[in-house]
Amino acid sequence: MSVYLIACSVYLLVMACMLIGYVIQRKIITGSCGGLASIGIEMKCDYCSDQCDARKHREALTIKKVE
């Protein structure tokens, strides 16, 4: 039982430290790399209305493998 209480205490302490850091910095939580927007791509290929050349090539290769 004591191991359980110690583990919960440590977990709550870490969560409290993260909360204090968030409150002090007032920053929006973001990913570490900034996502696709950091390299100039605004949308993922799955959602584009016009497919990029690389995706068209991948799909052509997939179709050839199936046939």
Coordinates of all heavy atoms in Angstrom, one line a residue:
M1 N 0.8 -1.2 0.0 CA 0.0 0.0 0.0 C 0.9 1.3 0.0 O 0.5 2.3 -0.6 CB -0.9 0.0 1.2 CG -1.9 1.1 1.3 SD -3.1 1.0 0.1 CE -4.1 2.3 0.5
S2 N 2.0 1.2 0.7 CA 2.9 2.4 0.8 C 3.5 2.7 -0.6 O 3.7 3.9 -0.9 CB 3.9 2.2 1.8 OG 4.8 1.1 1.5
V3 N 3.8 1.7 -1.4 CA 4.3 1.9 -2.7 C 3.3 2.6 -3.6 O 3.6 3.6 -4.3 CB 4.8 0.6 -3.4 CG1 5.2 0.8 -4.8 CG2 5.9 -0.1 -2.6
Y4 N 2.1 2.2 -3.5 CA 1.0 2.9 -4.2 C 0.9 4.4 -3.8 O 0.7 5.2 -4.7 CB -0.3 2.1 -4.0 CG -1.5 2.8 -4.6 CD1 -1.7 2.7 -6.0 CD2 -2.4 3.5 -3.9 CE1 -2.8 3.3 -6.6 CE2 -3.5 4.1 -4.5 CZ -3.7 4.0 -5.9 OH -4.8 4.6 -6.5
L5 N 0.9 4.7 -2.5 CA 0.8 6.0 -2.1 C 2.0 6.9 -2.5 O 1.8 8.0 -2.9 CB 0.7 6.1 -0.6 CG -0.7 5.5 0.0 CD1 -0.6 5.5 1.5 CD2 -1.8 6.3 -0.5
I6 N 3.2 6.3 -2.5 CA 4.4 7.0 -2.9 C 4.3 7.3 -4.4 O 4.6 8.4 -4.9 CB 5.6 6.2 -2.6 CG1 5.8 6.2 -1.1 CG2 6.9 6.8 -3.3 CD1 6.9 5.2 -0.6
A7 N 3.9 6.3 -5.2 CA 3.8 6.5 -6.7 C 2.7 7.6 -7.0 O 3.0 8.4 -7.9 CB 3.4 5.2 -7.3
C8 N 1.6 7.5 -6.3 CA 0.6 8.6 -6.6 C 1.1 10.0 -6.2 O 0.8 10.9 -6.9 CB -0.7 8.2 -5.8 SG -1.6 6.9 -6.6
S9 N 1.8 10.0 -5.1 CA 2.3 11.3 -4.6 C 3.3 11.9 -5.6 O 3.3 13.1 -5.9 CB 3.0 11.1 -3.3 OG 2.1 10.7 -2.3
V10 N 4.2 11.0 -6.1 CA 5.2 11.5 -7.1 C 4.5 11.9 -8.4 O 4.8 13.0 -8.9 CB 6.2 10.4 -7.4 CG1 7.1 10.7 -8.6 CG2 7.1 10.1 -6.2
Y11 N 3.5 11.2 -8.8 CA 2.7 11.6 -10.0 C 2.1 12.9 -9.8 O 2.1 13.8 -10.7 CB 1.7 10.5 -10.3 CG 0.8 10.8 -11.5 CD1 1.3 10.6 -12.8 CD2 -0.5 11.2 -11.3 CE1 0.5 10.9 -13.9 CE2 -1.3 11.4 -12.4 CZ -0.8 11.3 -13.7 OH -1.6 11.6 -14.8
L12 N 1.4 13.1 -8.7 CA 0.7 14.4 -8.4 C 1.7 15.6 -8.3 O 1.5 16.7 -8.7 CB -0.1 14.3 -7.1 CG -1.4 13.4 -7.2 CD1 -2.0 13.3 -5.9 CD2 -2.3 14.0 -8.3
L13 N 2.9 15.3 -7.7 CA 4.0 16.3 -7.6 C 4.4 16.7 -9.0 O 4.6 17.9 -9.3 CB 5.1 15.8 -6.8 CG 6.3 16.7 -6.6 CD1 5.9 18.0 -5.8 CD2 7.5 16.0 -6.0
V14 N 4.7 15.8 -9.9 CA 5.1 16.1 -11.3 C 4.0 16.9 -12.0 O 4.3 17.9 -12.7 CB 5.4 14.8 -12.0 CG1 5.6 15.1 -13.5 CG2 6.7 14.2 -11.5
M15 N 2.7 16.5 -11.8 CA 1.6 17.2 -12.5 C 1.5 18.6 -12.0 O 1.3 19.6 -12.7 CB 0.3 16.5 -12.3 CG 0.2 15.1 -13.0 SD 0.3 15.3 -14.8 CE -1.3 16.0 -15.1
A16 N 1.7 18.8 -10.7 CA 1.7 20.2 -10.1 C 2.8 21.0 -10.6 O 2.6 22.2 -10.9 CB 1.8 20.1 -8.5
C17 N 4.0 20.5 -10.7 CA 5.1 21.2 -11.3 C 4.9 21.6 -12.8 O 5.2 22.7 -13.2 CB 6.4 20.4 -11.2 SG 7.0 20.2 -9.6
M18 N 4.3 20.7 -13.5 CA 3.9 21.1 -14.9 C 2.9 22.2 -15.0 O 3.0 23.1 -15.8 CB 3.4 19.8 -15.7 CG 4.6 18.8 -15.9 SD 4.1 17.2 -16.6 CE 2.7 17.5 -17.6
L19 N 1.9 22.1 -14.1 CA 0.9 23.1 -14.0 C 1.5 24.5 -13.6 O 1.1 25.5 -14.3 CB -0.2 22.7 -13.0 CG -1.3 23.8 -12.8 CD1 -2.1 24.0 -14.1 CD2 -2.2 23.4 -11.6
I20 N 2.4 24.5 -12.7 CA 3.0 25.8 -12.3 C 3.8 26.4 -13.4 O 3.7 27.6 -13.7 CB 3.9 25.6 -11.0 CG1 3.0 25.3 -9.8 CG2 4.8 26.8 -10.8 CD1 3.8 24.8 -8.6
G21 N 4.5 25.5 -14.1 CA 5.3 26.0 -15.3 C 4.4 26.5 -16.4 O 4.7 27.6 -17.0
Y22 N 3.3 25.9 -16.6 CA 2.3 26.4 -17.6 C 1.7 27.7 -17.2 O 1.6 28.6 -18.0 CB 1.2 25.4 -17.9 CG 0.1 25.8 -18.8 CD1 0.4 25.9 -20.1 CD2 -1.1 26.2 -18.3 CE1 -0.6 26.4 -21.0 CE2 -2.1 26.7 -19.1 CZ -1.8 26.8 -20.5 OH -2.8 27.2 -21.3
V23 N 1.3 27.9 -16.0 CA 0.7 29.1 -15.5 C 1.7 30.2 -15.5 O 1.4 31.4 -15.9 CB 0.2 28.9 -14.1 CG1 -0.2 30.2 -13.4 CG2 -1.0 27.9 -14.1
I24 N 3.0 30.0 -15.2 CA 4.0 31.1 -15.2 C 4.3 31.5 -16.6 O 4.4 32.7 -16.9 CB 5.2 30.6 -14.5 CG1 5.0 30.5 -13.0 CG2 6.4 31.5 -14.7 CD1 6.1 29.8 -12.2
Q25 N 4.5 30.6 -17.6 CA 4.9 30.9 -18.9 C 3.8 31.4 -19.8 O 4.0 32.2 -20.7 CB 5.5 29.7 -19.6 CG 6.9 29.4 -19.0 CD 7.5 28.2 -19.8 OE1 6.9 27.6 -20.7 NE2 8.8 27.9 -19.4
R26 N 2.5 31.0 -19.5 CA 1.4 31.4 -20.3 C 1.6 31.2 -21.8 O 1.2 32.0 -22.7 CB 1.0 32.9 -20.1 CG 0.6 33.2 -18.8 CD -0.9 32.9 -18.6 NE -1.4 33.4 -17.3 CZ -2.5 33.1 -16.8 NH1 -3.2 32.2 -17.4 NH2 -2.8 33.5 -15.7
K27 N 2.1 30.1 -22.2 CA 2.4 29.7 -23.6 C 1.4 28.6 -24.0 O 0.9 27.8 -23.2 CB 3.8 29.2 -23.8 CG 4.9 30.2 -23.6 CD 6.2 29.6 -23.6 CE 6.8 29.6 -25.0 NZ 8.1 29.0 -25.0
I28 N 1.0 28.7 -25.3 CA 0.2 27.6 -25.8 C 1.0 26.4 -26.0 O 2.1 26.4 -26.4 CB -0.4 28.1 -27.2 CG1 -1.3 29.3 -27.0 CG2 -1.2 26.9 -27.8 CD1 -1.8 29.9 -28.3
I29 N 0.4 25.2 -25.6 CA 1.1 24.0 -25.7 C 1.2 23.6 -27.2 O 0.1 23.6 -27.9 CB 0.4 22.9 -24.9 CG1 0.4 23.2 -23.4 CG2 1.0 21.5 -25.1 CD1 -0.5 22.3 -22.6
T30 N 2.4 23.4 -27.7 CA 2.6 23.1 -29.1 C 3.5 21.9 -29.2 O 4.2 21.5 -28.3 CB 3.2 24.2 -29.9 OG1 4.4 24.6 -29.3 CG2 2.3 25.5 -29.9
G31 N 3.6 21.3 -30.4 CA 4.5 20.2 -30.7 C 5.9 20.8 -30.7 O 6.2 22.0 -30.8
S32 N 6.9 19.9 -30.7 CA 8.3 20.3 -30.6 C 8.8 20.8 -32.0 O 9.7 21.6 -32.0 CB 9.1 19.1 -30.1 OG 9.0 18.0 -31.0
C33 N 8.3 20.3 -33.1 CA 8.8 20.6 -34.4 C 8.0 21.7 -35.1 O 8.4 22.2 -36.1 CB 9.0 19.4 -35.2 SG 7.4 18.6 -35.7
G34 N 6.8 22.0 -34.7 CA 6.0 23.0 -35.3 C 5.1 22.5 -36.4 O 4.3 23.2 -37.0
G35 N 5.2 21.2 -36.7 CA 4.4 20.6 -37.7 C 4.7 20.9 -39.1 O 5.8 21.4 -39.4
L36 N 3.8 20.6 -40.0 CA 4.1 20.9 -41.5 C 4.2 22.3 -41.8 O 4.9 22.7 -42.8 CB 3.0 20.2 -42.3 CG 2.9 18.7 -42.2 CD1 1.7 18.2 -43.0 CD2 4.1 18.0 -42.8
A37 N 3.6 23.2 -41.1 CA 3.6 24.6 -41.4 C 5.1 25.2 -41.3 O 5.4 26.1 -42.0 CB 2.7 25.4 -40.4
S38 N 5.9 24.6 -40.5 CA 7.3 25.0 -40.3 C 8.1 24.8 -41.5 O 9.2 25.4 -41.7 CB 7.9 24.4 -39.1 OG 8.1 23.0 -39.3
I39 N 7.7 23.9 -42.4 CA 8.5 23.6 -43.6 C 7.7 24.1 -44.9 O 8.1 23.8 -46.0 CB 8.8 22.1 -43.8 CG1 7.6 21.3 -43.8 CG2 9.8 21.7 -42.7 CD1 7.9 19.8 -44.1
G40 N 6.7 24.9 -44.7 CA 6.0 25.5 -45.8 C 4.8 24.8 -46.4 O 4.2 25.2 -47.3
I41 N 4.4 23.6 -45.8 CA 3.3 22.9 -46.2 C 2.1 23.3 -45.3 O 2.2 23.1 -44.1 CB 3.5 21.4 -46.2 CG1 4.7 21.0 -47.1 CG2 2.3 20.6 -46.6 CD1 5.1 19.6 -46.9
E42 N 1.0 23.8 -45.9 CA -0.1 24.2 -45.1 C -1.1 23.1 -44.8 O -1.8 23.2 -43.9 CB -0.7 25.4 -45.8 CG 0.2 26.6 -45.8 CD -0.5 27.9 -46.3 OE1 -1.7 27.9 -46.2 OE2 0.2 28.8 -46.7
M43 N -1.2 22.1 -45.7 CA -2.1 21.0 -45.5 C -1.5 19.7 -45.7 O -0.5 19.6 -46.4 CB -3.3 21.2 -46.5 CG -4.2 22.3 -46.3 SD -5.6 22.1 -47.3 CE -5.3 23.4 -48.5
K44 N -2.1 18.7 -45.1 CA -1.6 17.3 -45.3 C -2.2 16.8 -46.6 O -3.2 17.3 -47.1 CB -2.1 16.4 -44.2 CG -1.5 16.7 -42.9 CD -2.2 16.1 -41.7 CE -2.1 14.6 -41.7 NZ -2.7 14.0 -40.5
C45 N -1.5 15.9 -47.3 CA -1.9 15.4 -48.6 C -3.3 14.8 -48.6 O -4.0 14.8 -49.5 CB -0.9 14.4 -49.2 SG 0.6 15.2 -49.8
D46 N -3.7 14.2 -47.4 CA -5.0 13.6 -47.4 C -6.2 14.6 -47.5 O -7.3 14.2 -47.9 CB -5.1 12.8 -46.0 CG -4.2 11.7 -46.0 OD1 -3.7 11.2 -47.0 OD2 -3.9 11.2 -44.8
Y47 N -5.9 15.8 -47.2 CA -7.0 16.8 -47.2 C -6.9 17.8 -48.4 O -7.7 18.6 -48.5 CB -7.0 17.5 -45.9 CG -7.1 16.6 -44.7 CD1 -6.1 16.4 -43.9 CD2 -8.3 16.0 -44.5 CE1 -6.2 15.5 -42.8 CE2 -8.5 15.1 -43.4 CZ -7.4 14.9 -42.6 OH -7.6 14.1 -41.5
C48 N -5.9 17.7 -49.2 CA -5.7 18.6 -50.3 C -6.8 18.3 -51.4 O -7.1 17.1 -51.7 CB -4.3 18.5 -51.0 SG -3.0 19.0 -49.9
S49 N -7.3 19.3 -52.0 CA -8.2 19.1 -53.1 C -7.4 18.7 -54.4 O -7.9 17.9 -55.2 CB -9.1 20.3 -53.4 OG -8.2 21.4 -53.7
D50 N -6.2 19.2 -54.6 CA -5.4 18.9 -55.7 C -4.2 18.1 -55.2 O -3.4 18.6 -54.4 CB -4.9 20.2 -56.4 CG -4.1 19.9 -57.7 OD1 -4.4 18.8 -58.3 OD2 -3.2 20.6 -58.0
Q51 N -4.0 16.9 -55.7 CA -3.0 16.0 -55.1 C -1.6 16.4 -55.7 O -1.5 16.8 -56.8 CB -3.3 14.6 -55.5 CG -4.5 14.0 -54.9 CD -4.8 12.6 -55.3 OE1 -4.1 12.0 -56.1 NE2 -5.7 12.0 -54.6
C52 N -0.6 16.3 -54.8 CA 0.7 16.6 -55.2 C 1.3 15.5 -56.1 O 0.8 14.4 -56.1 CB 1.6 16.9 -54.0 SG 1.8 15.5 -52.9
D53 N 2.4 15.8 -56.8 CA 3.0 14.8 -57.7 C 3.5 13.6 -57.0 O 3.4 12.5 -57.4 CB 4.2 15.5 -58.4 CG 3.7 16.5 -59.4 OD1 2.5 16.4 -59.9 OD2 4.5 17.4 -59.7
A54 N 4.1 13.8 -55.8 CA 4.6 12.6 -55.0 C 3.5 11.7 -54.6 O 3.7 10.4 -54.7 CB 5.3 13.1 -53.7
R55 N 2.3 12.2 -54.3 CA 1.2 11.3 -53.9 C 0.7 10.6 -55.1 O 0.4 9.4 -55.1 CB 0.1 12.1 -53.3 CG -1.1 11.2 -53.0 CD -1.9 11.7 -51.9 NE -2.9 10.7 -51.6 CZ -3.9 10.8 -50.7 NH1 -3.8 11.9 -50.0 NH2 -4.8 9.9 -50.6
K56 N 0.6 11.3 -56.3 CA 0.2 10.6 -57.5 C 1.1 9.5 -57.9 O 0.6 8.4 -58.3 CB 0.1 11.7 -58.6 CG -1.0 12.6 -58.5 CD -1.0 13.7 -59.6 CE -2.1 14.7 -59.4 NZ -2.0 15.8 -60.4
H57 N 2.4 9.7 -57.7 CA 3.4 8.7 -58.0 C 3.2 7.5 -57.1 O 3.2 6.3 -57.5 CB 4.8 9.3 -57.9 CG 5.9 8.3 -58.2 ND1 6.1 7.8 -59.4 CD2 6.8 7.7 -57.4 CE1 7.1 6.9 -59.4 NE2 7.6 6.9 -58.1
R58 N 3.0 7.7 -55.8 CA 2.8 6.6 -54.8 C 1.6 5.8 -55.1 O 1.6 4.6 -55.1 CB 2.7 7.2 -53.4 CG 4.0 7.5 -52.7 CD 3.7 7.7 -51.2 NE 2.6 8.5 -50.8 CZ 2.6 9.8 -50.6 NH1 3.8 10.5 -50.6 NH2 1.5 10.5 -50.3
E59 N 0.5 6.5 -55.5 CA -0.7 5.8 -55.8 C -0.6 5.0 -57.1 O -1.1 3.9 -57.2 CB -1.9 6.8 -55.9 CG -2.3 7.4 -54.6 CD -3.4 8.4 -54.7 OE1 -3.8 8.7 -55.8 OE2 -3.9 8.8 -53.6
A60 N 0.2 5.5 -58.1 CA 0.4 4.8 -59.3 C 1.2 3.5 -59.0 O 0.9 2.4 -59.5 CB 1.1 5.6 -60.3
L61 N 2.2 3.6 -58.1 CA 3.0 2.4 -57.7 C 2.1 1.4 -57.0 O 2.3 0.2 -57.2 CB 4.2 2.8 -56.9 CG 5.3 3.6 -57.6 CD1 6.4 4.0 -56.6 CD2 5.9 2.7 -58.7
T62 N 1.2 1.9 -56.2 CA 0.4 1.0 -55.4 C -0.6 0.2 -56.4 O -0.8 -1.0 -56.3 CB -0.5 1.8 -54.4 OG1 0.4 2.5 -53.5 CG2 -1.3 0.8 -53.6
I63 N -1.1 0.9 -57.4 CA -2.0 0.3 -58.3 C -1.2 -0.8 -59.1 O -1.7 -1.8 -59.4 CB -2.6 1.4 -59.3 CG1 -3.6 2.2 -58.5 CG2 -3.3 0.7 -60.4 CD1 -4.1 3.4 -59.2
K64 N 0.0 -0.5 -59.5 CA 0.8 -1.4 -60.3 C 1.1 -2.7 -59.5 O 1.1 -3.8 -60.0 CB 2.2 -0.8 -60.7 CG 2.0 0.2 -61.9 CD 3.3 0.7 -62.2 CE 3.2 1.8 -63.4 NZ 4.5 2.3 -63.7
K65 N 1.3 -2.5 -58.1 CA 1.6 -3.7 -57.3 C 0.4 -4.6 -57.2 O 0.5 -5.8 -57.1 CB 2.0 -3.2 -55.9 CG 3.4 -2.7 -55.9 CD 3.8 -2.3 -54.4 CE 5.2 -1.7 -54.4 NZ 5.5 -1.2 -53.0
V66 N -0.8 -3.9 -57.1 CA -2.1 -4.7 -57.0 C -2.3 -5.5 -58.2 O -2.8 -6.6 -58.2 CB -3.2 -3.7 -56.6 CG1 -4.6 -4.5 -56.7 CG2 -3.0 -3.1 -55.3
E67 N -2.1 -4.9 -59.4 CA -2.3 -5.6 -60.6 C -1.3 -6.7 -60.9 O -1.3 -7.7 -61.0 CB -2.2 -4.6 -61.8 CG -3.3 -3.5 -61.8 CD -3.1 -2.5 -62.8 OE1 -2.0 -2.4 -63.5 OE2 -4.0 -1.7 -63.0

